[in-house]
Amino acid sequence: MGVLEKVRTRSPKTAMAEPRAALPLDTILQGDCIAHMRALPTASVDMIFADPPYNLQLGGDLNRPDGSHVDAVTDEWDKFDSFASYDRFTRDWLAEARRILKPDGTIWVIGSYHNIFRVGATIQDLGFWILNDIVWRKANPMPNFRGTRFTNAHETLIWASMGEKSKYTFNYRSMKTLNDELQMRSDWEFPICGGPERLKKDGHKVHPTQKPEALLYRVLLAATHPGDVVLDPFFGTGTTGAVAKRLGRRWIGIEREGVYIDAATQRIAEALPLDESSLRTMQAPKGTPRVAFGTLVENGMVAPGMVLTDAKRRFQAVVRADGSLACGVETGSIHKLGATLQGAPSCNGWTFWHHESEGRLQAIDTLRQTYLLATQP
Amino acid sequence: MGVLEKVRTRSPKTAMAEPRAALPLDTILQGDCIAHMRALPTASVDMIFADPPYNLQLGGDLNRPDGSHVDAVTDEWDKFDSFASYDRFTRDWLAEARRILKPDGTIWVIGSYHNIFRVGATIQDLGFWILNDIVWRKANPMPNFRGTRFTNAHETLIWASMGEKSKYTFNYRSMKTLNDELQMRSDWEFPICGGPERLKKDGHKVHPTQKPEALLYRVLLAATHPGDVVLDPFFGTGTTGAVAKRLGRRWIGIEREGVYIDAATQRIAEALPLDESSLRTMQAPKGTPRVAFGTLVENGMVAPGMVLTDAKRRFQAVVRADGSLACGVETGSIHKLGATLQGAPSCNGWTFWHHESEGRLQAIDTLRQTYLLATQP
DNA sequence: AGGTTATATGAATCCAACA
DNA sequence: GTGTTGGATTCATATAACC
């Protein structure tokens, strides 16, 4: 434990890009992630989101039952000689991450059973304090074609603070509102990244493991404030940067591959900060028959900034990023705010609130129905 | 890796209970789990299920918002000085588990984010091969009363074989049936153990972390055959034993606390084994003997010269006397020719090839089924 | 145009028996 | 050991093709 004390001050020679004084905000740094991290100032970043190589150790080819070939992750960046070399790599970048984080900052790391146990143990060894492990349940995972194991249908995220006593950021109310007035749990369901969100070039996916924006949306909304600085040392095609821009957070990306950087640069340039973004279709999660209003926001069916009114247009409210509503100084979930404004003990926000659609008012419940129709069999 | 070679033969003095030759089946061994494991024979057990202490680092007491006290896990057996001592303990019992397991046996370990990363890394370090990590989604988890984190709504199980090449047991069909004819995924939902299933004494729960029987039911059904021997080195109140008895598996439990042993003994005595017929139906239809296509020719069910086609009638082939097929200059087995004609890496000839029967096409697999019905008891 | 059917694909540690 | 052959094996979603 207690690595902080051991952090040595490096000579400027080892720094690569910027002097440590300045944070290269909203920028992608090209090159090795550890080298670039060493050039960043100590205790300067509010959050780190990291999607490191998983060290999959895949064997031969795999075919589907119909004979088609599975396009596996065979990239060089995922190859390591041994667990020992993977552990060294992990410890090195995590130690730098720890130095760069502010005392009250937090780190998120995503992985699978191939690597997450080693990552988690190293995180603990370095003195981080694990706050939660989060399970991303994939709505549409790839099946196990040979029937040899359980369908590998999830990935794991670790969320950790700098230490046991850290005063980390957790937007409890935002998460609860996003989840329809229930505490947000440690298991999240999202579809894998596909459709128009998936970056492609010449008909092929640009990056083999692009993460869904809905996942980063929830992570950033939960653990940062607007204006906070988020570092992603394995930037890839820039999901973290695109969502950070949408949510009004600052970002720094580190990435080796020029192809990924090009795609990320264009993608982030096209990303619209929240109040300008229009209804954009993302894939909708499936499974839970109960739909939280926040789910519609997360999935782009309701844009933050959208104005809702009651049927008689007596009240007006604005949708916020976490799916809560604001009316003057009053805020709350669709149900809670409806009750407050009417002075009623309770209120069904789904039927109380309406939005302008095709020239007339429509209850937001129709959006939920649309969502359910799109996601239920 | 390669810990098996390092296992030393211990003098009988270190053995506590039984000589290594005999397996103490359907028995609870009282005492230290590592000491008792050392007394068990090498390569003698089919499966190990382990629910080790979680190394929870709960600071102080925890109270609900209404002031009532949370009965947290603060028992003495859950205290460890540091990660280092927990790692030593973990490595010691896992190494013994590895020695005791048969070469094709598997191990299951359940834990939370407090310990599962250390356990998982050690499992990999010892040479085990992780098959899946499984998420137990709790339908009714304890909320996070302070609103400081996400509701900790799941626990993680690791399932691992002795090595990459092990021929472990996985009852694929049973799992698929259990899941309404869809592949069983890596995320399982069960309620936490409560109600009449939860063992109580004087109104208090006997064990702080009693696992639901549904969880063990799925584990044992997935990864063992009837009659297999299952060892649980942290037996607690004997969920593993009770379910093993119900499912016709043999079990061995190790437990230190007499209170738990008493509860487990009574509980297992009251558990009712499923009758043989219900056990049989849960078995996968894997034992069906192989039938060569040539056998059907030999038995006159298929006549040489018979014409076969695929379902879309794109290809035609003629059956030859030895059970091979011919299509122009291409010849081969039903599988090989199907693969060749489609340009596919492989092909199941039984379902690919069809024959004209009663005016419509029928897969030749129906002939095989007919043959099996006629020749099986 | 609108609705239906066929095809493509995703962080995957993916076979078993026998010669 | 290794090489060959038999034969068992897929779910949700997006997109293209086709009536």
Side-chain angles (χ1 to χ4, degrees):
Chain A
M1 324 294 127
V3 155
L4 262 184
E5 302 77 26
K6 283 188 250 167
V7 168
R8 51 210 157 144
T9 42
R10 287 166 203 288
S11 75
K13 270 181 290 186
T14 62
M16 278 188 57
E18 306 274 334
R20 277 205 180 168
L23 273 184
L25 293 178
D26 307 331
T27 311
I28 308 176
L29 308 172
Q30 179 159 19
D32 177 69
C33 85
I34 296 173
H36 273 297
M37 288 170 88
R38 284 184 179 144
L40 293 174
T42 299
S44 61
V45 157
D46 297 288
M47 200 192 93
I48 292 178
F49 181 90
D51 182 11
Y54 286 8
N55 189 23
L56 284 185
Q57 305 174 260
L58 300 180
D61 280 1
L62 179 64
N63 296 302
R64 298 184 179 81
D66 65 7
S68 62
H69 183 253
V70 175
D71 184 17
V73 178
T74 52
D75 305 70
E76 274 307 313
W77 49 254
D78 197 46
K79 295 200 192 317
F80 294 83
D81 294 333
S82 61
F83 279 135
S85 73
Y86 187 80
D87 290 346
R88 270 194 303 278
F89 164 74
T90 301
R91 196 177 179 91
D92 286 349
W93 76 257
L94 276 172
E96 278 305 310
R98 188 170 172 81
R99 183 186 60 77
I100 294 168
L101 267 179
K102 292 180 183 173
D104 292 337
T106 60
I107 185 169
W108 292 76
V109 188
I110 185 170
S112 66
Y113 67 84
H114 308 84
N115 71 324
I116 199 66
F117 303 115
R118 320 199 72 82
V119 168
T122 306
I123 281 176
Q124 291 179 314
D125 288 343
L126 288 173
F128 287 106
W129 189 254
I130 296 182
L131 299 168
N132 278 113
D133 60 335
I134 299 289
V135 173
W136 167 28
R137 306 174 51 220
K138 300 182 183 183
N140 48 346
M142 190 164 89
N144 182 290
F145 296 116
R146 303 300 293 263
T148 57
R149 305 180 178 188
F150 298 97
T151 305
N152 192 8
H154 74 276
E155 292 188 24
T156 302
L157 297 99
I158 297 174
W159 180 39
S161 66
M162 290 286 283
E164 188 177 354
K165 304 293 182 190
S166 300
K167 303 205 180 308
Y168 56 92
T169 296
F170 177 55
N171 299 313
Y172 175 75
R173 282 303 320 169
S174 292
M175 286 299 104
K176 190 165 178 179
T177 307
L178 197 65
N179 197 33
D180 217 11
E181 288 304 308
L182 289 179
Q183 283 192 348
M184 187 69 81
R185 297 166 44 113
S186 56
D187 54 325
W188 304 352
E189 176 171 325
F190 297 109
I192 58 178
C193 183
E197 186 186 326
R198 187 87 193 209
L199 299 180
K200 293 191 177 172
K201 192 177 181 184
D202 306 327
H204 295 92
K205 55 188 176 189
V206 176
H207 194 285
T209 69
Q210 185 182 336
K211 296 293 176 290
E213 294 198 3
L215 180 72
L216 269 294
Y217 189 100
R218 191 174 291 181
V219 165
L220 291 179
L221 200 60
T224 62
H225 298 298
D228 278 0
V229 177
V230 179
L231 168 69
D232 185 336
F234 307 96
F235 202 58
T237 49
T239 306
T240 302
V243 178
K245 182 177 173 189
R246 270 174 66 200
L247 286 172
R249 274 69 169 169
R250 313 300 297 268
W251 55 271
I252 303 168
I254 307 176
E255 175 55 49
R256 264 199 315 218
E257 308 288 331
V259 185
Y260 301 160
I261 293 178
D262 293 345
T265 305
Q266 185 187 345
R267 174 190 191 182
I268 297 170
E270 290 168 0
L272 295 176
L274 258 188
D275 44 345
E276 296 173 31
S277 67
S278 54
L279 278 167
R280 196 139 38 93
T281 54
M282 291 166 60
Q283 301 86 12
K286 181 197 162 299
T288 48
R290 194 180 58 79
V291 178
F293 184 68
T295 305
L296 304 185
V297 177
E298 250 177 4
N299 288 280
M301 291 185 66
V302 172
M306 189 173 179
V307 175
L308 305 182
T309 77
D310 64 310
K312 296 176 182 172
R313 300 182 194 266
R314 287 178 303 179
F315 306 110
Q316 268 201 348
V318 179
V319 178
R320 304 196 297 182
D322 58 1
S324 67
L325 300 186
C327 175
V329 294
E330 298 291 343
T331 58
S333 70
I334 55 172
H335 314 294
K336 207 156 216 169
L337 187 65
T340 304
L341 293 177
Q342 296 180 98
S346 67
C347 165
N348 181 349
W350 289 109
T351 51
F352 178 74
W353 292 108
H354 294 62
H355 69 112
E356 199 91 33
S357 171
E358 298 168 17
R360 57 199 191 82
L361 287 183
Q362 223 170 7
I364 57 175
D365 196 42
T366 58
L367 294 173
R368 181 169 62 160
Q369 299 309 325
T370 307
Y371 174 84
L372 280 169
L373 278 173
T375 55
Q376 298 298 306
Chain B
M1 316 301 128
V3 155
L4 264 183
E5 301 76 27
K6 283 187 249 168
V7 167
R8 51 209 156 141
T9 43
R10 286 166 204 287
S11 75
K13 270 180 290 186
T14 63
M16 279 188 58
E18 305 275 332
R20 277 205 181 169
L23 273 183
L25 292 178
D26 307 332
T27 310
I28 307 176
L29 308 172
Q30 179 160 18
D32 177 68
C33 87
I34 295 174
H36 273 296
M37 288 170 88
R38 284 181 180 148
L40 294 174
T42 299
S44 62
V45 157
D46 297 288
M47 201 191 89
I48 293 178
F49 181 90
D51 181 12
Y54 279 23
N55 193 30
L56 294 181
Q57 299 139 13
L58 299 177
D61 277 1
L62 184 61
N63 288 302
R64 295 190 177 87
D66 64 7
S68 63
H69 183 252
V70 174
D71 188 11
V73 180
T74 53
D75 295 358
E76 200 50 44
W77 49 259
D78 205 27
K79 298 291 185 205
F80 287 88
D81 302 329
S82 63
F83 284 129
S85 71
Y86 188 79
D87 289 347
R88 269 195 304 277
F89 164 73
T90 300
R91 196 178 177 90
D92 286 349
W93 77 258
L94 277 173
E96 277 305 310
R98 189 171 170 82
R99 182 186 61 77
I100 294 168
L101 269 179
K102 293 180 183 174
D104 292 336
T106 59
I107 185 169
W108 292 75
V109 187
I110 185 169
S112 68
Y113 68 82
H114 306 87
N115 71 325
I116 198 65
F117 303 114
R118 321 203 69 84
V119 168
T122 305
I123 281 177
Q124 291 179 314
D125 289 343
L126 287 173
F128 288 105
W129 191 248
I130 296 182
L131 300 168
N132 279 113
D133 60 334
I134 300 288
V135 173
W136 166 28
R137 305 176 54 219
K138 302 182 184 181
N140 47 349
M142 187 196 294
N144 181 292
F145 295 112
R146 298 247 171 92
T148 55
R149 305 178 183 189
F150 298 97
T151 303
N152 193 10
H154 74 276
E155 291 187 26
T156 301
L157 297 99
I158 297 174
W159 180 39
S161 68
M162 289 286 282
E164 188 176 355
K165 303 293 181 191
S166 301
K167 305 210 181 304
Y168 57 91
T169 296
F170 177 53
N171 299 314
Y172 175 74
R173 274 289 160 198
S174 297
M175 286 299 102
K176 191 166 176 177
T177 307
L178 200 63
N179 196 35
D180 205 16
E181 289 306 309
L182 286 182
Q183 282 193 345
M184 188 69 79
R185 298 166 40 116
S186 57
D187 54 327
W188 303 351
E189 178 168 325
F190 298 109
I192 59 175
C193 184
E197 185 186 326
R198 185 86 196 211
L199 298 182
K200 294 193 175 172
K201 192 176 181 183
D202 307 327
H204 296 91
K205 50 191 178 190
V206 177
H207 194 281
T209 64
Q210 184 182 338
K211 296 293 175 289
E213 295 199 2
L215 180 72
L216 269 293
Y217 187 97
R218 189 175 292 181
V219 165
L220 292 178
L221 200 61
T224 61
H225 298 298
D228 277 2
V229 177
V230 179
L231 167 69
D232 186 336
F234 307 96
F235 202 57
T237 49
T239 307
T240 303
V243 178
K245 183 178 174 189
R246 275 172 60 202
L247 286 173
R249 274 71 170 167
R250 313 299 298 267
W251 55 271
I252 303 169
I254 306 177
E255 176 54 50
R256 260 198 321 219
E257 306 291 329
V259 185
Y260 299 160
I261 292 178
D262 294 343
T265 305
Q266 185 186 343
R267 173 190 191 182
I268 296 170
E270 291 168 0
L272 295 177
L274 292 173
D275 59 71
E276 260 190 67
S277 64
S278 44
L279 276 183
R280 195 162 40 227
T281 54
M282 291 184 291
Q283 281 301 294
K286 273 234 169 166
T288 51
R290 294 160 62 120
V291 178
F293 184 65
T295 307
L296 304 186
V297 178
E298 270 173 352
N299 286 276
M301 295 183 66
V302 172
M306 188 174 181
V307 176
L308 304 181
T309 78
D310 65 309
K312 295 177 184 172
R313 299 181 195 266
R314 287 179 302 181
F315 305 109
Q316 269 200 350
V318 179
V319 177
R320 303 196 295 184
D322 60 353
S324 67
L325 300 186
C327 174
V329 295
E330 300 290 349
T331 60
S333 71
I334 55 171
H335 313 293
K336 192 150 216 173
L337 187 65
T340 304
L341 293 177
Q342 294 181 102
S346 67
C347 167
N348 184 344
W350 290 110
T351 52
F352 178 74
W353 292 108
H354 294 62
H355 68 109
E356 200 84 36
S357 169
E358 299 169 15
R360 54 199 193 85
L361 287 183
Q362 219 168 10
I364 58 175
D365 195 43
T366 59
L367 296 173
R368 180 170 61 160
Q369 299 307 327
T370 307
Y371 175 81
L372 280 169
L373 277 173
T375 54
Q376 295 299 303

